[in-house]
Amino acid sequence: MQIYKVIEETITKPPIPHEPHKQSLKAWAMYCLRDKGFKVVYAQNADFAIEPKGAKKLYFKVTNNASDVDNTCGWIVWDSTTKNASLIPPPS
């Protein structure tokens, strides 16, 4: 899906770098996505959701530990070793 490519590009080439000592991963990811023009909203069973126009909400969770990832939604994973974020889209 095209939207996941845009989301991935947004978090891999962010408008501001993620600085864990200054902001949480969730706050940083939401800021980056809003800066790109996404409508980021509250989600009950995830960290946040993106509401694309004319489509279902896309749910995301964030983590600093890749072993937390499951197939319940999309994930944004921060690798503190490489200092890079990555996107794991939800299963189709």
Side-chain angles (χ1 to χ4, degrees):
M1 230 173 137
Q2 181 70 24
I3 192 165
Y4 291 112
K5 287 182 182 179
V6 176
I7 293 168
E8 183 172 34
E9 187 175 295
T10 301
I11 64 161
T12 56
K13 298 175 185 157
I16 60 168
H18 176 47
E19 299 175 89
H21 61 282
K22 287 187 178 179
Q23 80 273 64
S24 70
L25 180 59
K26 178 181 171 181
W28 173 80
M30 290 171 61
Y31 172 84
C32 292
L33 293 166
R34 285 183 176 131
D35 185 70
K36 188 73 170 183
F38 287 102
K39 183 177 180 184
V40 181
V41 297
Y42 170 81
Q44 186 171 350
N45 295 322
D47 288 321
F48 60 87
I50 293 175
E51 233 175 37
K53 288 185 179 166
K56 293 190 321 183
K57 286 182 186 177
L58 306 173
Y59 295 91
F60 291 91
K61 291 182 182 178
V62 299
T63 186
N64 294 317
N65 186 350
S67 64
D68 292 341
V69 175
D70 58 27
N71 63 358
T72 58
C73 62
W75 286 82
I76 294 174
V77 180
W78 176 255
D79 183 340
S80 58
T81 308
T82 63
K83 306 243 185 291
N84 289 314
S86 60
L87 173 72
I88 300 174
S92 315

